[in-house]
Amino acid sequence: MKFDIRRFDVYRKIPKDLTEPTYAGACISVFSCLFIAFLFVSELSSFLSVETISEMYVANPVDDSNERISVQIDVSVKMNCSYLGLDIQDDMGRHEVGFIDNVEKAEDGSGCRFRAKFKINKVPGNFHLSTHSAREQPTAPDMSHTIHWLIFGDNVTEHHNLPAGSFNALGNRNPPTTNVLNSHDYVLKVVPSLVEDVQGNRLLNPYQYTYAHREYMQFGHGHSVMPAIWFRYDLSPITVKYIEKQRPFYSFLTTVCAIVGGTFTVAGIIDSMLFTAANVFKKAELGKLN
């Protein structure tokens, strides 16, 4: 007996003259195809998109311990630029008064637009805008200000998959001032972050931060001292890693098969129910139910 591989065919074909097309079946078929096309496009869009997930871990204090953190600051202060300077201090003994590298000062209306880029050690410390480095002190100091941005580490404001607000939490902040002689104190909790792409390559090394603000008048030797804008920072031992993830192809393929198979199965059940109900209704009209 000759072997015929066709005996393994589980998708036996029904002769065309034994099938009966119906209007209900045609409508269900068209709707099913449109439904499958819609779900397929949605799944394809989801498959091609990149999702960013986050995880937290305690950083190894030995890793990158000698690296410094870059800081970018842009502030408008209601004071003449000739009086305004940047001071930097930290717990490792650093104390710089009148830091001038990568500092830009420009007259801005009735005040000064102060921009600076500098680096800080990975230890608690502070940097502040003050008149300490000025040759002479102003007679009418006013530290009313607007912070346009304050960014630690890499700038991620253009990275749409990250919560950019937490990386520039003080951006566009304009605190009300009750007294122009008051100092402003910002206490910052800085959290290291990493951004990795789909292949696991490090893309960015930004820092998030939260802050608390207080306004107060400083006194020394029985009289008020010149106001300043203080930024006191401390680093968190917790690092937040943002990882870009993309769905694997097998997941996309499985979902597409489920969409096509499930839709046609459900559509077949609905068509069969409608066809059976139509036949029962016709028999009832002809009185042939029995």
Side-chain angles (χ1 to χ4, degrees), residues 3 14 19 25 32 52 55 69 169 172 278:
F3 176 76
I14 301 175
T19 60
S32 298
T52 302
E55 61 182 36
I69 305 171
N172 299 317

Side-chain angles (χ1 to χ4, degrees), residues 174-250:
N174 182 17
T177 301
T178 57
N179 190 329
V180 294
L181 295 177
N182 283 350
S183 291
H184 296 265
D185 206 346
Y186 294 94
V187 181
L188 312 177
K189 190 67 175 181
V190 182
V191 181
S193 304
L194 293 176
V195 181
E196 293 184 353
D197 62 11
V198 177
Q199 287 76 31
N201 301 317
R202 181 183 294 189
L203 297 178
L204 299 168
N205 189 194
Y207 289 77
Q208 303 178 69
Y209 64 91
T210 58
Y211 71 91
H213 170 258
R214 67 175 181 141
E215 179 186 355
Y216 62 96
M217 183 176 292
Q218 288 182 299
F219 290 92
H221 304 289
H223 57 84
S224 62
V225 300
M226 285 293 172
I229 305 173
W230 295 79
F231 299 91
R232 307 179 192 274
Y233 60 88
D234 191 10
L235 290 169
S236 169
I238 303 298
T239 297
V240 181
K241 180 188 290 187
Y242 293 94
I243 308 170
E244 294 182 344
K245 291 288 187 180
Q246 191 169 25
R247 289 175 55 191
F249 180 73
Y250 68 82

